[in-house]
Amino acid sequence: TQLLEQSPQFLSIQEGENLTVYCNSSSVFSSLQWYRQEPGEGPVLLVTVVTGGEVKKLKRLTFQFGDARKDSSLHITAAQPGDTGLYLCAGTDSGYALNFGKGTSLLVTP
Amino acid sequence: EAEVAQSPRYKITEKSQAVAFWCDPISGHATLYWYRQILGQGPELLVQFQDESVVDDSQLPKDRFSAERLKGVDSTLKIQPAELGDSAMYLCASSLHDEQFFGPGTRLTVL
């Protein structure tokens, strides 16, 4: 099993602040996905990155895949209370099975 | 919009009882996954099906857990007997290629 470490584990910020969460591994992944999960619900896919160095933007969210395809980051600009949730990264090497990190729990207060 | 359906959403049971969870994947998705997510952790794969065949069940505790997808469409995950440590969210996901779509999960509490 390829381990993914996410940091920080918890993050509490005020509305309007910027933040970055990280997903690191010693293994190479063919693709890496970011999910957001709200309490009592299943994870919802935000983005998939497949190319080393790739940067994808989704409104105020910016995702980057490391050049060596071992790590990724998620940057949120001007966070809003609606961004509150558990952010999970997951990588796959083959066969489509995902290895998830433990997640970063984000709380954005008004 | 097509979604993965799961039932029940919540289940409370006593230890040593049997429980079963049901999942209906998005139509046409050949691959189906069952994950377990303990509070504060990320999901962990229990079993992966390709059509009706098991592709990976290496993390499934086979002494008490079983999963089937008889017709290659919907799937059932069973626990018998349930133990206190089985309390968790059980998530089902399906995929056509490499993007997985998750259902809302079944929250199991074992008393």
Side-chain angles (χ1 to χ4, degrees), chain A residues 69-87:
Chain A
R69 291 186 289 129
K70 293 182 179 181
D71 55 85
S72 181
S73 63
L74 159 59
H75 182 80
I76 301 179
T77 304
Q80 298 178 1
D83 295 327
T84 292
L86 179 67
Y87 289 82

PDB file of all heavy atoms in Angstrom, chain A residues 69-87:
ATOM      1  N   ARG A  69       5.542  13.556  -9.438  1.00  0.00           N
ATOM      2  CA  ARG A  69       4.242  12.881  -9.225  1.00  0.00           C
ATOM      3  C   ARG A  69       4.201  12.114  -7.907  1.00  0.00           C
ATOM      4  O   ARG A  69       3.604  11.028  -7.813  1.00  0.00           O
ATOM      5  CB  ARG A  69       3.905  11.958 -10.406  1.00  0.00           C
ATOM      6  CG  ARG A  69       3.586  12.749 -11.674  1.00  0.00           C
ATOM      7  CD  ARG A  69       3.117  11.841 -12.799  1.00  0.00           C
ATOM      8  NE  ARG A  69       4.197  11.036 -13.323  1.00  0.00           N
ATOM      9  CZ  ARG A  69       4.144   9.720 -13.486  1.00  0.00           C
ATOM     10  NH1 ARG A  69       3.077   9.065 -13.127  1.00  0.00           N
ATOM     11  NH2 ARG A  69       5.164   9.080 -13.992  1.00  0.00           N
ATOM     12  N   LYS A  70       4.855  12.690  -6.871  1.00  0.00           N
ATOM     13  CA  LYS A  70       4.808  12.082  -5.544  1.00  0.00           C
ATOM     14  C   LYS A  70       4.042  12.939  -4.541  1.00  0.00           C
ATOM     15  O   LYS A  70       3.768  12.485  -3.435  1.00  0.00           O
ATOM     16  CB  LYS A  70       6.228  11.882  -5.010  1.00  0.00           C
ATOM     17  CG  LYS A  70       7.052  10.872  -5.763  1.00  0.00           C
ATOM     18  CD  LYS A  70       8.413  10.730  -5.108  1.00  0.00           C
ATOM     19  CE  LYS A  70       9.280   9.695  -5.810  1.00  0.00           C
ATOM     20  NZ  LYS A  70      10.602   9.552  -5.148  1.00  0.00           N
ATOM     21  N   ASP A  71       3.756  14.177  -4.910  1.00  0.00           N
ATOM     22  CA  ASP A  71       3.125  15.071  -3.954  1.00  0.00           C
ATOM     23  C   ASP A  71       2.198  16.038  -4.669  1.00  0.00           C
ATOM     24  O   ASP A  71       2.285  16.237  -5.894  1.00  0.00           O
ATOM     25  CB  ASP A  71       4.184  15.845  -3.168  1.00  0.00           C
ATOM     26  CG  ASP A  71       5.133  16.586  -4.081  1.00  0.00           C
ATOM     27  OD1 ASP A  71       4.798  17.713  -4.480  1.00  0.00           O
ATOM     28  OD2 ASP A  71       6.195  16.034  -4.404  1.00  0.00           O
ATOM     29  N   SER A  72       1.334  16.657  -3.874  1.00  0.00           N
ATOM     30  CA  SER A  72       0.372  17.602  -4.431  1.00  0.00           C
ATOM     31  C   SER A  72      -0.011  18.619  -3.372  1.00  0.00           C
ATOM     32  O   SER A  72       0.168  18.382  -2.170  1.00  0.00           O
ATOM     33  CB  SER A  72      -0.872  16.853  -4.918  1.00  0.00           C
ATOM     34  OG  SER A  72      -1.815  17.737  -5.487  1.00  0.00           O
ATOM     35  N   SER A  73      -0.510  19.742  -3.831  1.00  0.00           N
ATOM     36  CA  SER A  73      -0.986  20.760  -2.901  1.00  0.00           C
ATOM     37  C   SER A  73      -2.305  21.330  -3.391  1.00  0.00           C
ATOM     38  O   SER A  73      -2.615  21.297  -4.588  1.00  0.00           O
ATOM     39  CB  SER A  73       0.042  21.892  -2.757  1.00  0.00           C
ATOM     40  OG  SER A  73       0.220  22.559  -3.995  1.00  0.00           O
ATOM     41  N   LEU A  74      -3.060  21.800  -2.422  1.00  0.00           N
ATOM     42  CA  LEU A  74      -4.337  22.463  -2.694  1.00  0.00           C
ATOM     43  C   LEU A  74      -4.294  23.823  -2.020  1.00  0.00           C
ATOM     44  O   LEU A  74      -4.102  23.902  -0.806  1.00  0.00           O
ATOM     45  CB  LEU A  74      -5.493  21.624  -2.138  1.00  0.00           C
ATOM     46  CG  LEU A  74      -6.838  22.338  -1.880  1.00  0.00           C
ATOM     47  CD1 LEU A  74      -7.386  22.953  -3.149  1.00  0.00           C
ATOM     48  CD2 LEU A  74      -7.829  21.374  -1.265  1.00  0.00           C
ATOM     49  N   HIS A  75      -4.460  24.874  -2.795  1.00  0.00           N
ATOM     50  CA  HIS A  75      -4.456  26.233  -2.265  1.00  0.00           C
ATOM     51  C   HIS A  75      -5.844  26.826  -2.443  1.00  0.00           C
ATOM     52  O   HIS A  75      -6.418  26.757  -3.538  1.00  0.00           O
ATOM     53  CB  HIS A  75      -3.417  27.088  -3.000  1.00  0.00           C
ATOM     54  CG  HIS A  75      -3.330  28.484  -2.488  1.00  0.00           C
ATOM     55  ND1 HIS A  75      -2.633  28.816  -1.346  1.00  0.00           N
ATOM     56  CD2 HIS A  75      -3.868  29.641  -2.963  1.00  0.00           C
ATOM     57  CE1 HIS A  75      -2.736  30.126  -1.137  1.00  0.00           C
ATOM     58  NE2 HIS A  75      -3.473  30.641  -2.097  1.00  0.00           N
ATOM     59  N   ILE A  76      -6.379  27.383  -1.357  1.00  0.00           N
ATOM     60  CA  ILE A  76      -7.685  28.046  -1.421  1.00  0.00           C
ATOM     61  C   ILE A  76      -7.476  29.532  -1.160  1.00  0.00           C
ATOM     62  O   ILE A  76      -6.870  29.912  -0.139  1.00  0.00           O
ATOM     63  CB  ILE A  76      -8.678  27.464  -0.404  1.00  0.00           C
ATOM     64  CG1 ILE A  76      -8.883  25.971  -0.659  1.00  0.00           C
ATOM     65  CG2 ILE A  76     -10.013  28.204  -0.486  1.00  0.00           C
ATOM     66  CD1 ILE A  76      -9.838  25.299   0.320  1.00  0.00           C
ATOM     67  N   THR A  77      -7.964  30.329  -2.052  1.00  0.00           N
ATOM     68  CA  THR A  77      -7.876  31.785  -1.931  1.00  0.00           C
ATOM     69  C   THR A  77      -9.178  32.335  -1.368  1.00  0.00           C
ATOM     70  O   THR A  77     -10.255  31.924  -1.795  1.00  0.00           O
ATOM     71  CB  THR A  77      -7.601  32.421  -3.306  1.00  0.00           C
ATOM     72  OG1 THR A  77      -6.414  31.858  -3.855  1.00  0.00           O
ATOM     73  CG2 THR A  77      -7.456  33.920  -3.202  1.00  0.00           C
ATOM     74  N   ALA A  78      -9.038  33.250  -0.404  1.00  0.00           N
ATOM     75  CA  ALA A  78     -10.219  33.908   0.174  1.00  0.00           C
ATOM     76  C   ALA A  78     -11.258  32.884   0.613  1.00  0.00           C
ATOM     77  O   ALA A  78     -12.377  32.852   0.078  1.00  0.00           O
ATOM     78  CB  ALA A  78     -10.799  34.914  -0.812  1.00  0.00           C
ATOM     79  N   ALA A  79     -10.884  32.067   1.579  1.00  0.00           N
ATOM     80  CA  ALA A  79     -11.755  30.972   2.013  1.00  0.00           C
ATOM     81  C   ALA A  79     -13.107  31.499   2.488  1.00  0.00           C
ATOM     82  O   ALA A  79     -13.221  32.596   3.059  1.00  0.00           O
ATOM     83  CB  ALA A  79     -11.079  30.192   3.132  1.00  0.00           C
ATOM     84  N   GLN A  80     -14.131  30.688   2.259  1.00  0.00           N
ATOM     85  CA  GLN A  80     -15.491  31.008   2.663  1.00  0.00           C
ATOM     86  C   GLN A  80     -16.021  29.886   3.548  1.00  0.00           C
ATOM     87  O   GLN A  80     -15.552  28.750   3.467  1.00  0.00           O
ATOM     88  CB  GLN A  80     -16.367  31.161   1.416  1.00  0.00           C
ATOM     89  CG  GLN A  80     -15.915  32.289   0.502  1.00  0.00           C
ATOM     90  CD  GLN A  80     -16.744  32.407  -0.744  1.00  0.00           C
ATOM     91  OE1 GLN A  80     -17.697  31.646  -0.954  1.00  0.00           O
ATOM     92  NE2 GLN A  80     -16.403  33.357  -1.596  1.00  0.00           N
ATOM     93  N   PRO A  81     -17.027  30.177   4.382  1.00  0.00           N
ATOM     94  CA  PRO A  81     -17.584  29.128   5.264  1.00  0.00           C
ATOM     95  C   PRO A  81     -18.041  27.890   4.497  1.00  0.00           C
ATOM     96  O   PRO A  81     -17.954  26.788   5.009  1.00  0.00           O
ATOM     97  CB  PRO A  81     -18.759  29.840   5.933  1.00  0.00           C
ATOM     98  CG  PRO A  81     -18.326  31.278   6.004  1.00  0.00           C
ATOM     99  CD  PRO A  81     -17.583  31.513   4.712  1.00  0.00           C
ATOM    100  N   GLY A  82     -18.471  28.061   3.265  1.00  0.00           N
ATOM    101  CA  GLY A  82     -18.879  26.925   2.448  1.00  0.00           C
ATOM    102  C   GLY A  82     -17.740  26.010   2.063  1.00  0.00           C
ATOM    103  O   GLY A  82     -17.977  24.906   1.560  1.00  0.00           O
ATOM    104  N   ASP A  83     -16.499  26.447   2.295  1.00  0.00           N
ATOM    105  CA  ASP A  83     -15.342  25.595   2.012  1.00  0.00           C
ATOM    106  C   ASP A  83     -15.084  24.605   3.148  1.00  0.00           C
ATOM    107  O   ASP A  83     -14.239  23.705   3.014  1.00  0.00           O
ATOM    108  CB  ASP A  83     -14.081  26.440   1.801  1.00  0.00           C
ATOM    109  CG  ASP A  83     -14.170  27.331   0.575  1.00  0.00           C
ATOM    110  OD1 ASP A  83     -14.809  26.919  -0.412  1.00  0.00           O
ATOM    111  OD2 ASP A  83     -13.607  28.458   0.616  1.00  0.00           O
ATOM    112  N   THR A  84     -15.769  24.764   4.253  1.00  0.00           N
ATOM    113  CA  THR A  84     -15.585  23.877   5.405  1.00  0.00           C
ATOM    114  C   THR A  84     -15.831  22.429   5.012  1.00  0.00           C
ATOM    115  O   THR A  84     -16.795  22.121   4.310  1.00  0.00           O
ATOM    116  CB  THR A  84     -16.534  24.285   6.543  1.00  0.00           C
ATOM    117  OG1 THR A  84     -16.128  25.560   7.048  1.00  0.00           O
ATOM    118  CG2 THR A  84     -16.510  23.272   7.670  1.00  0.00           C
ATOM    119  N   GLY A  85     -14.945  21.553   5.447  1.00  0.00           N
ATOM    120  CA  GLY A  85     -15.108  20.138   5.152  1.00  0.00           C
ATOM    121  C   GLY A  85     -13.805  19.389   5.320  1.00  0.00           C
ATOM    122  O   GLY A  85     -12.793  19.957   5.731  1.00  0.00           O
ATOM    123  N   LEU A  86     -13.838  18.112   4.989  1.00  0.00           N
ATOM    124  CA  LEU A  86     -12.647  17.268   5.046  1.00  0.00           C
ATOM    125  C   LEU A  86     -12.088  17.143   3.633  1.00  0.00           C
ATOM    126  O   LEU A  86     -12.797  16.710   2.726  1.00  0.00           O
ATOM    127  CB  LEU A  86     -13.009  15.880   5.590  1.00  0.00           C
ATOM    128  CG  LEU A  86     -11.879  14.865   5.691  1.00  0.00           C
ATOM    129  CD1 LEU A  86     -10.871  15.298   6.754  1.00  0.00           C
ATOM    130  CD2 LEU A  86     -12.431  13.480   6.013  1.00  0.00           C
ATOM    131  N   TYR A  87     -10.856  17.536   3.445  1.00  0.00           N
ATOM    132  CA  TYR A  87     -10.207  17.472   2.138  1.00  0.00           C
ATOM    133  C   TYR A  87      -9.304  16.247   2.105  1.00  0.00           C
ATOM    134  O   TYR A  87      -8.381  16.116   2.911  1.00  0.00           O
ATOM    135  CB  TYR A  87      -9.435  18.752   1.847  1.00  0.00           C
ATOM    136  CG  TYR A  87     -10.362  19.917   1.578  1.00  0.00           C
ATOM    137  CD1 TYR A  87     -10.943  20.627   2.634  1.00  0.00           C
ATOM    138  CD2 TYR A  87     -10.706  20.269   0.285  1.00  0.00           C
ATOM    139  CE1 TYR A  87     -11.832  21.658   2.393  1.00  0.00           C
ATOM    140  CE2 TYR A  87     -11.596  21.301   0.033  1.00  0.00           C
ATOM    141  CZ  TYR A  87     -12.152  21.996   1.099  1.00  0.00           C
ATOM    142  OH  TYR A  87     -13.040  23.015   0.856  1.00  0.00           O
TER     143      TYR A  87
END
